[in-house]
Amino acid sequence: MKNVLVVYYSQSGQLKEIAKNISEPLLADPDINVVFHQIEMEKPFPFPWNKELFFDAFPESFLQIPAKLKPVPQKIMEMKYDLVLFHYQVWFLSPSIPINSFLKSPEAKILLNNTPVVTISGSRNMWYLAQEKIKVLLKQNNALLKGNIALVDRAGNLISVITIVEWMFSGKKEKHLGIFPLPGVSQKDIDDSVKFGHTIISALNQNNFDTLQDKLLLQDAVRVSPYLVAVDKKGNFIFSKWASFIIKRTEKRKKLLKIFVIYLVLAIWVISPIVYILHVLTYPFKINKNKKAVKYYKGVESA
Ligand SMILES: Cc1cc2nc3c(=O)[nH]c(=O)nc-3n(C[C@H](O)[C@H](O)[C@H](O)COP(=O)(O)O)c2cc1C
């Protein structure tokens, strides 16, 4: 009998549905015992969000400052797992606060120690550097990263900014104004994610995860856009300045966050199109560099 732990946090239920679908084939196997753990905050984040609280989550998300979680039930802690399916979402180019808090908890150290892990993210589209931060946290827990599946909103970058904001602030996954595409990971990609479960099962049964990522890639588990990687890198650089500036100025936090929001709107609507034009113009000179980046972010190795 193999034991598999499925860890997730989800506000809208999107990542919970993905977790359910991926583990469906494992649940159907009588030789696999699947245990679910939903990460729960001691003080839950709101959903839907209001504007103030949404941006108030920025400094702690980006600086990866953990918050208090409800303890992992003793029954879950008592078992040793053969595999952990770790589902996470990205907040402000970083693992979300609940995810970061879990990975920094003493329980994670016990559960992940010397254990193969497959990471599964459900984000807008900017998960690349967040995955690098997850790799660091997994290493600190002595976990063995064996696979990665990155599910994203496949609409254009700026379209998905509009639709995700509407979704986060209304709590409803619907077509904004009746003309925009649905926000988030498409229902088709969510439904199709069952296929990853089949691939994971065969690796688990053979006790060999070495070729798992290659097999997941054949199933379109990860798509890498060098343009989005470039935006993610630039965003991380700028966010690091803002976050460390805001966190130190408690009494001015509200005011500074308001200025940050104005900056962010400008960055998304003015700076990111400029980055795109530069990306297209310089593309012929960066073919090798981009190829390397695509290979790296599709893999599970650390730089
Ligand atoms: C505060 C906040 C910040 C977010 N920042 C990002 C981001 O930087 N990059 C990204 O791809 N998605 C971002 N998202 C989208 C989430 O990764 C995720 O797709 C969405 O919140 C749905 O997840 P759920 O399963 O928890 O409902 C953000 C969401 C929230 C609530």
Side-chain angles (χ1 to χ4, degrees), residues 250-263:
T250 325
E251 71 297 346
K252 288 194 178 148
R253 180 176 171 117
K254 273 194 176 170
K255 215 177 196 173
L256 289 172
L257 280 170
K258 280 187 183 154
I259 302 170
F260 169 69
V261 175
I262 297 168
Y263 167 80

Side-chain angles (χ1 to χ4, degrees), residues 280-297:
V280 172
L281 290 177
T282 57
Y283 194 83
F285 310 105
K286 289 190 182 160
I287 289 178
N288 279 339
K289 194 178 160 214
N290 287 340
K291 266 191 190 159
K292 260 193 188 160
V294 170
K295 189 165 182 267
Y296 177 73
Y297 289 104

Side-chain angles (χ1 to χ4, degrees), residues 28-29 44 52 74 83 90 120 139 156 160 172 177 215 244 251:
D29 189 323
E52 195 181 327
Q74 197 49 38
L83 176 68
V90 181
I120 299 133
K139 257 208 180 111
S160 67
K172 294 185 189 126
L177 304 173
K215 289 182 182 143
S244 42
E251 71 297 346

